[in-house]
C-alpha cells in the first residue's frame, strides 16, 4: 500500500515534536502574557516589540520552531516520491519556517498594524509571501506521482484554507477573530506536514512503485 504511512517513518518523531512545540508555544504565551488573546491576536504578537517577554519568545519559541520544521522537511525529502512540479511544491513548504524566523528577527509592532515601523513593514511582507507561498506549495503537492485522490483533494482543500484564511484574517472587519482564523490556518499547515507521510515511495513497504 504505497499511500499508507508506516509507524517506522523517520520523520514521525519530528512531526510529533513540531506539533507539540506549536501547541506548547500557544499555551506558554497564555501563561506568560495574562492579557494575550488567541482569538483576536496574531501568533506573531507573542513576540511583538514592547510586549511582555518580547525577544525571548523569538529566541526560545519561534526560532526553535523554525529549526524543527526545517528538520522535518529535510528529513522527509529522501522518503518522498515528489518530483518535477511536486518537488517545487515541497520546496515551497520551507516558507513555513521562514515565516517564524521572520516573526523572530523582524518582530511586529504592538497590535501588528498594517502600517508601522520598518520591522513591521518587513514582517508584513514576509507574512504575505510565506502564507501564499506555502499555500501554492501545498497545491503543487497534488501533482505528486501515484497519489490517491483523497490525498490530492486534501492538499487542494488545505491550500484553499490557507490562502483564503490569510485574506480573511487581515480583513479589518474580522479583526476581533483574526487570531482564531490564524490558528485554524496553523492547524491546516501542520496537517500538510503530516500528509507528507502519504507521499513515501512504494519501496518503503517493500512493494513496487508501479
Amino acid at each position: 500500500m504505497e499511500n499508507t504511512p508506516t509507524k517506522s517513518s523517520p520523520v514521525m518523531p519530528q512531526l510529533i515534536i513540531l506539533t507539540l512545540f506549536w501547541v506548547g508555544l500557544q499555551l506558554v504565551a497564555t501563561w506568560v502574557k495574562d492579557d494575550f488573546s488567541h482569538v483576536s491576536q496574531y501568533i506573531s504578537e507573542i513576540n511583538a516589540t514592547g510586549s511582555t517577554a518580547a525577544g525571548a519568545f523569538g529566541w526560545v519559541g519561534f526560532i526553535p520552531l523554525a529549526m524543527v520544521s526545517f528538520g522535518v522537511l529535510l528529513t522527509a525529502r529522501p522518503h518522498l516520491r515528489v518530483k518535477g512540479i511536486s518537488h517545487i511544491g515541497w520546496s515551497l513548504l520551507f516558507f513555513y519556517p521562514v515565516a517564524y524566523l521572520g516573526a523572530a528577527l523582524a518582530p511586529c509592532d504592538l497590535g501588528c498594524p498594517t502600517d508601522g515601523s520598518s520591522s513591521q513593514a518587513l514582517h508584513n511582507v514576509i507574512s504575505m509571501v510565506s502564507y501564499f507561498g506555502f499555500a501554492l506549495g501545498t497545491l503543487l503537492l497534488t501533482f505528486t506521482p501515484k497519489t490517491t485522490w483523497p490525498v490530492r483533494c486534501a492538499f487542494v482543500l488545505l491550500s484553499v484554507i490557507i490562502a483564503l484564511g490569510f485574506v480573511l484574517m487581515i480583513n479589518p472587519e474580522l479583526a476581533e477573530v483574526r487570531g482564531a482564523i490564524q490558528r485554524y490556518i496553523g492547524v491546516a499547515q501542520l496537517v500538510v506536514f503530516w500528509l507528507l507521510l502519504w507521499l513515501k515511495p512504494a519501496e518503503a513497504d517493500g512493494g513496487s512503485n508501479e
Side-chain angles (χ1 to χ4, degrees), residues 126-196:
I126 293 174
S127 297
M128 179 177 66
V129 173
S130 296
Y131 276 107
F132 284 121
F134 190 95
L136 177 59
T138 301
L139 182 62
L140 295 183
L141 287 175
T142 62
F143 294 96
T144 303
K146 304 182 188 305
T147 299
T148 62
W149 279 107
V151 174
R152 293 181 195 274
C153 291
F155 279 130
V156 172
L157 177 61
L158 290 166
S159 68
V160 172
I161 290 174
I162 295 167
L164 180 60
F166 178 79
V167 173
L168 292 176
M169 78 177 187
I170 63 174
N171 186 331
E173 295 182 1
L174 298 176
E176 293 184 357
V177 293
R178 65 186 188 181
I181 295 173
Q182 189 183 40
R183 301 317 186 273
Y184 283 116
I185 298 174
V187 171
Q189 290 176 312
L190 289 175
V191 173
V192 172
F193 280 107
W194 279 93
L195 281 178
L196 294 178

Side-chain angles (χ1 to χ4, degrees), residues 5-208:
T6 59
K7 294 181 180 180
S8 60
S9 174
V11 76
M12 182 78 78
Q14 294 184 53
L15 282 171
I16 294 174
I17 292 173
L18 175 62
T19 303
L20 293 178
F21 201 118
W22 185 84
V23 173
L25 182 61
Q26 319 297 316
L27 298 177
V28 171
T30 303
W31 175 56
V32 174
K33 299 172 179 282
D34 295 332
D35 58 346
F36 188 80
S37 171
H38 289 294
V39 174
S40 63
Q41 291 182 279
Y42 293 127
I43 294 174
S44 61
E45 292 185 71
I46 294 173
N47 193 51
T49 302
S51 65
T52 304
F57 271 106
W59 289 104
V60 303
F62 292 153
I63 290 180
L65 183 59
M67 294 300 101
V68 172
S69 55
F70 267 123
V72 168
L73 291 170
L74 293 176
T75 301
R77 179 60 191 91
H79 306 280
L80 303 178
R81 59 179 182 274
V82 295
K83 64 179 181 179
I85 294 177
S86 59
H87 183 271
I88 295 175
W90 166 81
S91 300
L92 291 176
L93 297 188
F94 279 93
F95 274 119
Y96 184 86
V98 166
Y100 281 102
L101 285 176
L105 303 178
C108 64
D109 300 338
L110 286 172
C112 205
T114 302
D115 299 315
S117 65
S118 57
S119 180
Q120 177 68 60
L122 179 58
H123 179 92
N124 291 343
V125 172
I126 293 174
S127 297
M128 179 177 66
V129 173
S130 296
Y131 276 107
F132 284 121
F134 190 95
L136 177 59
T138 301
L139 182 62
L140 295 183
L141 287 175
T142 62
F143 294 96
T144 303
K146 304 182 188 305
T147 299
T148 62
W149 279 107
V151 174
R152 293 181 195 274
C153 291
F155 279 130
V156 172
L157 177 61
L158 290 166
S159 68
V160 172
I161 290 174
I162 295 167
L164 180 60
F166 178 79
V167 173
L168 292 176
M169 78 177 187
I170 63 174
N171 186 331
E173 295 182 1
L174 298 176
E176 293 184 357
V177 293
R178 65 186 188 181
I181 295 173
Q182 189 183 40
R183 301 317 186 273
Y184 283 116
I185 298 174
V187 171
Q189 290 176 312
L190 289 175
V191 173
V192 172
F193 280 107
W194 279 93
L195 281 178
L196 294 178
L197 295 174
W198 272 261
L199 303 183
K200 70 183 190 324
E203 286 82 353
D205 288 329
S208 170

